[in-house]
Amino acid sequence: MEYTSMGDAVDLPGLFADLVRCETRLYNALNDRLRERHGIVTSQFESLRFLRAHPGARVADLATEFAAGVGAMSKGVDRLEKQGWIVRQPNPSDRRSSLLALTDDGVRLVEAAEETFDEQLTQLLGATLTRSSLPVVAQALSQLRGALERDQVGLPAG
């Protein structure tokens, strides 16, 4: 199946395969480096980074951000809490949910891991993409993500 725009044909199944395989390989490489240097995996790093940027977020907010099920995200939060990296605080406006906050150990961990993450990502992307192509790729993926999120495409059921 090809899509043609302004005379340029694009193999959409091939594009899909490239997107998925690139995401998987990047994620796995970052996962390996974060585990090796900090004892965490990429999903934990991403959650900690989100919570640093969004203090007082709920599990449901994490689930929305990462297009994950609330149950799965809650289990991930349980693991972060067990490690002492986050705490659950009562939500004064909704007693059924908790507000999440990083502990001092969580802040230190995410800051240290962020250096590793940035270094590894720069190495992986910089080795292949040129200075001129990287902004084009970033803009195209941001546009695609924005449309998918706006239209609530790909959210898990339940």
Side-chain angles (χ1 to χ4, degrees), residues 133-154:
S133 67
L134 191 55
V136 174
V137 170
Q139 181 181 10
L141 291 176
S142 178
Q143 185 178 359
L144 176 59
R145 178 182 175 181
L148 294 169
E149 288 178 353
R150 180 195 65 228
D151 297 340
Q152 298 186 336
V153 174

Side-chain angles (χ1 to χ4, degrees), residues 26 30 115-129 134:
L26 288 170
L30 292 163
E115 288 182 34
T116 298
F117 179 85
D118 291 348
E119 173 189 295
Q120 181 73 0
L121 195 56
T122 298
Q123 181 182 3
L124 291 166
L125 296 178
T128 305
L129 299 174
L134 191 55

Side-chain angles (χ1 to χ4, degrees), residues 7-108:
D8 294 328
V10 175
D11 170 21
L12 291 180
L15 173 61
F16 173 80
D18 286 345
L19 282 171
V20 170
R21 299 321 177 269
C22 286
E23 186 274 341
T24 301
R25 289 175 184 273
L26 288 170
Y27 198 92
N28 290 344
L30 292 163
N31 205 56
D32 291 346
R33 186 59 52 93
L34 288 168
R35 182 183 291 124
E36 168 192 308
R37 291 194 181 168
H38 307 283
I40 62 173
V41 294
T42 308
S43 60
Q44 292 171 318
F45 169 71
E46 290 266 80
S47 293
L48 292 170
R49 192 168 62 160
F50 179 83
L51 292 173
R52 183 185 60 191
H54 302 90
R58 301 165 302 134
V59 170
D61 299 323
L62 283 165
T64 299
E65 173 67 16
F66 297 109
V70 172
M73 193 56 68
S74 184
K75 288 179 184 178
V77 165
D78 290 344
R79 287 189 285 277
L80 296 175
E81 185 178 33
K82 185 176 180 180
Q83 292 294 326
W85 299 326
I86 67 166
V87 293
R88 293 178 194 248
Q89 302 167 331
N91 184 343
S93 62
D94 181 359
R95 293 171 34 188
R96 296 171 295 157
S97 71
S98 299
L99 303 179
L100 307 173
L102 292 178
T103 62
D104 290 342
D105 285 346
V107 170
R108 283 190 291 274

